[in-house]
Amino acid sequence: QLQLQESGPGLVKPSETLSLTCTVSGDSISSNHFYWSWIRQSPRKGLEWIGSVSYSGGTYYNPSLKSRVTMSIGTSHNHFSLRLKSVTAADTAVYFCARGLTTVYFWGQGTLVTVSS
Amino acid sequence: DIQMTQSPSSLSASIGDRVTITCQASQDISNYLNWYQQKPGKAPKLLIYDASNLEAGVPSRFSGSGSGTHFTFTISSLQRDDIATYFCQQYHNVPPRITFGPGTKVDFK
């Protein structure tokens, strides 16, 4: 059964870089043509797509975040990652990793990241 | 960017009631519209894809319709397990980009 698990620091200081990893079990990132995505949710902005990475490493990013976002895929360890630089309090949210791009078929449980000094 | 609106923002209903939620897109999105259910503290769950297709394993009391800019999501007979927030989500294919509606919270009257 597919499982996605987010991991990373729950607290990040303003101006620093937020780094999260999503570990995939029950499916191989490199064995199909799915995109793997990051989506965040906050009371202020609701659900917001951050971006997606393909099994081959191709990426699509939300234009509003593109200058600060990097996503990568690690097929040897069946995971994919998110880096969001120069964070502010507005980046405080629950971050979900997920399978799918235009349609999000499966989500991780989410991890709360707070930006605060 | 395409903006999505939902109405109502919240509603109260009784067990067995028919519940209808609408989603409006700021421009024509054909049938590129999905619906998700989210319970408190949980991740969203896909219910309907491409406006009217029921995801595998989802009860048939859930349905969706519409195309262009106006879409409808219906629960034919509300069950206790349906208390949740429901989101619509549109997608572009070229370039790929998705945006979500603000959500509709459904609870018991």
Side-chain angles (χ1 to χ4, degrees), chain B residues 64-86:
Chain B
S65 65
S67 67
T69 61
H70 188 82
F71 301 86
T72 301
F73 173 81
T74 300
I75 307 173
S76 61
S77 177
L78 187 70
Q79 302 300 305
R80 186 167 297 275
D81 190 49
D82 301 337
I83 298 308
T85 299
Y86 294 85

Side-chain angles (χ1 to χ4, degrees), chain A residues 39 41 47-49 60-63 96 101-105 107-110, chain B residues 34 36 38 42-44 46 49-50 55 87 89 91-93 96-98 100:
Chain A
I39 296 164
Q41 185 173 31
L47 284 163
E48 181 180 31
W49 172 68
Y60 293 104
Y61 299 139
N62 187 324
F96 295 99
L101 169 49
T102 53
T103 298
V104 184
Y105 292 95
W107 303 61
Q109 65 182 19
Chain B
N34 304 318
Y36 300 83
Q38 186 178 31
K42 301 292 187 182
L46 177 66
Y49 63 93
D50 295 346
E55 174 67 351
F87 296 91
Q89 171 247 310
Y91 63 89
H92 268 202
N93 280 324
R97 189 174 302 176
I98 71 173
F100 292 86

Side-chain angles (χ1 to χ4, degrees), chain A residues 20 35-40 48-54 56-62 65-66 68-74 79-84 95-98 101:
Chain A
L20 294 175
Y35 271 80
W36 304 86
S37 298
W38 290 96
I39 296 164
R40 67 183 183 181
E48 181 180 31
W49 172 68
I50 300 170
S52 304
V53 59
S54 75
S56 61
T59 53
Y60 293 104
Y61 299 139
N62 187 324
L65 298 169
K66 187 175 183 177
R68 300 194 290 131
V69 173
T70 304
M71 290 183 185
S72 60
I73 202 152
H79 71 272
F80 59 105
S81 301
L82 166 71
R83 287 173 57 86
L84 179 67
Y95 285 74
F96 295 99
C97 61
L101 169 49

Side-chain angles (χ1 to χ4, degrees), chain A residues 2-107:
Chain A
L2 178 66
Q3 288 191 317
L4 284 73
Q5 181 65 60
E6 305 88 352
S7 60
L11 181 65
V12 182
K13 289 184 168 56
S15 79
E16 295 191 344
T17 297
L18 180 160
S19 295
L20 294 175
T21 295
C22 182
T23 301
V24 179
S25 57
D27 190 14
S28 170
I29 281 181
S30 57
S31 68
N32 55 55
H33 290 187
F34 282 115
Y35 271 80
W36 304 86
S37 298
W38 290 96
I39 296 164
R40 67 183 183 181
Q41 185 173 31
S42 65
R44 189 174 74 93
K45 299 194 77 174
L47 284 163
E48 181 180 31
W49 172 68
I50 300 170
S52 304
V53 59
S54 75
Y55 68 100
S56 61
T59 53
Y60 293 104
Y61 299 139
N62 187 324
S64 68
L65 298 169
K66 187 175 183 177
S67 63
R68 300 194 290 131
V69 173
T70 304
M71 290 183 185
S72 60
I73 202 152
T75 54
S76 60
H77 293 94
N78 219 42
H79 71 272
F80 59 105
S81 301
L82 166 71
R83 287 173 57 86
L84 179 67
K85 65 181 182 182
S86 306
V87 297
T88 70
D91 295 309
T92 294
V94 175
Y95 285 74
F96 295 99
C97 61
R99 187 176 78 179
L101 169 49
T102 53
T103 298
V104 184
Y105 292 95
F106 198 86
W107 303 61

